Amino acid sequence: RVLSLELNKDRDVERIHGSGINTLDIEPVEGRYMLSGGSDGVIVLYDLENLSRKPSYTCKALFTVGRSHPDVHKFSVETVQWYPHDTGMFTSSSFDKTLKIWDTNTLQPADIFHFEGTVYSHHMSPIATKHCLIAVGTKSPKVQLCDLKSGSSSHILQGHRQEVLAVSWSPRHEYILATGSADGKVKLWDVRRASGCLSTLDQHNGEKSKASSEAANTAHNGRVNGLCYTNDGLHLLTIGTDDRMRLWNSSTGENTLVNYGKVCNESRKGLKFAISCGCNPEFAFVPYGSTIAVYTIFTGELITMLRGHYSTVNCCVFQHHVQELYSGSKDCNILAWIPAPREPVPDDVSEKSLPQHLNPAYEDAWSSSDDEG
């Protein structure tokens, strides 16, 4: 299904945003409701389900936190995320230096966290049961941890030298956090340890001879502005302004050296890319100018470029229940990419008349006992 993704003519997403769309998130429980956040501070909640049951339909906006809303973000919304366990709550963070926790039913903030600098990115663990920490990347080199239970943001992780552009919790270990910074480094943390980070990823895998001491222990030769774990948590994909994407073994910290070629990345802030779930092989969907590049994660092969936006694509999100993709762009549009329907085989064609040239890999190697006699 992923290999046949195309811009769907029969599905529109209602156009509400009057400025660029920076972030999208689909709730993990049903995969039915999607949030979007825009450069003008507006947040929209969409219902992706086809309630009309007609072949052509528009995904309607259920609610909008618009410019006239008393609690609207003053500046660009950079990240929206659903609470991982139910749709009663969602979170948003913005260049207005706040992270807001929203009650979905009342569309009122249940809590607001304030920071000293611009907020680039935040993330809640998809699996945590023992903590309610939200990791926040801001203009400060310190990674902030906000506790939903206590409402405090006292905990900080120190180690980066410049602003933190991307944060992502491991989907495998609830206390493990990955952070990417403008200093070119990606750090892995166990948030229970006060003593500093677990490891700093090194693109040269410790071969100091190849790297000057200055470049040692950097993940990228540029700002690291995107991070995404594979769904099993065994690998971490990072992207930097050096136009490179790298795949790391998340337990050993080793650079797997998969070559994705040049991955054009001119974003000055966080880049929101997505990884498929439940596919074999798994794919990465990466905003690439006004297109979305689709790569196979473990071979680095560029499978296709999805074209349809008129301007820079800022974010994409994968709906893994049905293997569909949604993307948001500076052109104010959200596009739905749906697998092309397969051509059905007409009933009157018997099996015998179909081409018999099978790839040898799929041929049946068994012989029936009748042939042997």
Side-chain angles (χ1 to χ4, degrees):
R1 285 174 67 84
V2 172
L3 292 174
S4 62
L5 282 177
E6 60 178 36
L7 188 57
N8 194 284
K9 316 268 189 302
D10 297 321
R11 189 179 316 178
D12 281 320
V13 179
E14 193 176 350
R15 187 176 164 144
I16 304 286
H17 286 281
S19 69
I21 294 153
N22 295 327
T23 171
L24 295 169
D25 192 41
I26 296 173
E27 45 87 14
V29 185
E30 293 178 81
R32 173 174 173 179
Y33 299 103
M34 180 170 73
L35 291 166
S36 62
S39 304
D40 53 1
V42 170
I43 298 170
V44 183
L45 195 165
Y46 294 95
D47 186 346
L48 300 180
E49 190 149 305
N50 180 7
L51 298 171
S52 72
R53 298 276 172 261
K54 293 180 180 149
S56 292
Y57 70 100
T58 299
C59 300
K60 289 286 184 207
L62 297 180
F63 306 112
T64 302
V65 180
R67 293 305 318 156
S68 58
H69 191 288
D71 297 298
V72 69
H73 281 291
K74 292 187 177 58
F75 303 124
S76 175
V77 174
E78 291 299 303
T79 312
V80 289
Q81 189 191 1
W82 286 101
Y83 181 60
H85 306 296
D86 66 62
T87 55
M89 191 162 78
F90 66 87
T91 55
S92 62
S93 61
S94 160
F95 278 0
D96 67 10
K97 307 180 185 177
T98 65
L99 163 68
K100 297 189 180 186
I101 317 300
W102 298 84
D103 179 319
T104 311
N105 300 310
T106 63
L107 279 197
Q108 301 298 319
D111 210 345
I112 301 179
F113 294 91
H114 295 270
F115 302 93
E116 286 173 12
T118 305
V119 183
Y120 289 106
S121 169
H122 78 269
H123 193 229
M124 278 179 284
S125 167
I127 57 158
T129 54
K130 299 187 189 72
H131 72 77
C132 284
L133 296 172
I134 306 179
V136 186
T138 71
K139 209 160 184 75
S140 156
K142 297 170 184 157
V143 181
Q144 313 272 338
L145 297 177
C146 299
D147 193 337
L148 268 186
K149 281 204 179 92
S150 67
S152 75
S153 58
S154 53
H155 204 70
I156 54 172
L157 305 173
Q158 299 199 46
H160 283 298
R161 297 221 177 112
Q162 292 180 47
E163 53 199 0
V164 178
L165 299 171
V167 293
S168 182
W169 292 97
S170 161
R172 194 177 188 87
H173 304 289
E174 65 175 286
Y175 291 105
I176 303 295
L177 175 71
T179 59
S181 163
D183 61 12
K185 294 183 190 288
V186 172
K187 290 180 179 287
L188 301 181
W189 313 80
D190 179 335
V191 298
R192 295 168 298 188
R193 289 175 36 163
S195 57
C197 75
L198 284 176
S199 62
T200 302
L201 301 183
D202 174 17
Q203 60 183 312
H204 302 289
N205 287 334
E207 292 182 33
K208 290 280 189 286
S209 56
K210 291 186 185 168
S212 68
S213 59
E214 185 62 28
N217 274 29
T218 53
H220 288 270
N221 301 328
R223 300 153 62 89
V224 181
N225 59 350
L227 293 174
C228 198
Y229 274 97
T230 54
N231 291 282
D232 57 14
L234 295 176
H235 292 85
L236 177 68
L237 201 55
T238 65
I239 195 162
T241 55
D242 55 357
D243 293 338
R244 287 282 175 260
M245 189 157 72
R246 297 205 162 93
L247 183 72
W248 310 83
N249 178 318
S250 58
S251 56
T252 64
E254 189 181 5
N255 179 359
T256 62
L257 305 175
V258 174
N259 181 6
Y260 300 94
K262 183 182 173 188
V263 182
C264 179
N265 173 9
E266 290 163 3
S267 175
R268 296 295 303 153
K269 50 187 190 175
L271 188 73
K272 310 282 196 276
F273 64 99
I275 288 181
S276 66
C277 176
C279 304
N280 185 16
E282 297 287 2
F283 301 93
F285 306 95
V286 184
Y288 197 113
S290 62
T291 65
I292 300 152
V294 183
Y295 297 92
T296 48
I297 288 180
F298 294 106
T299 64
E301 188 184 351
L302 175 60
I303 299 292
T304 184
M305 302 286 267
L306 301 176
R307 298 175 199 281
H309 282 290
Y310 300 114
S311 184
T312 308
V313 179
N314 293 324
C315 55
C316 46
V317 63
F318 189 67
Q319 211 291 35
H320 65 87
H321 296 75
V322 286
Q323 275 95 41
E324 296 173 354
L325 187 76
Y326 291 85
S327 57
S329 159
K330 209 169 162 182
D331 64 14
C332 310
N333 290 321
I334 298 173
L335 299 183
W337 307 87
I338 315 290
R342 292 214 183 121
E343 289 296 313
V345 177
D347 291 342
D348 55 349
V349 178
S350 71
E351 292 278 314
K352 294 257 174 10
S353 64
L354 286 171
Q356 295 294 316
H357 306 295
L358 266 179
N359 177 325
Y362 298 115
E363 268 179 12
D364 193 346
W366 294 94
S367 61
S368 67
S369 51
D370 297 357
D371 300 343
E372 290 167 1

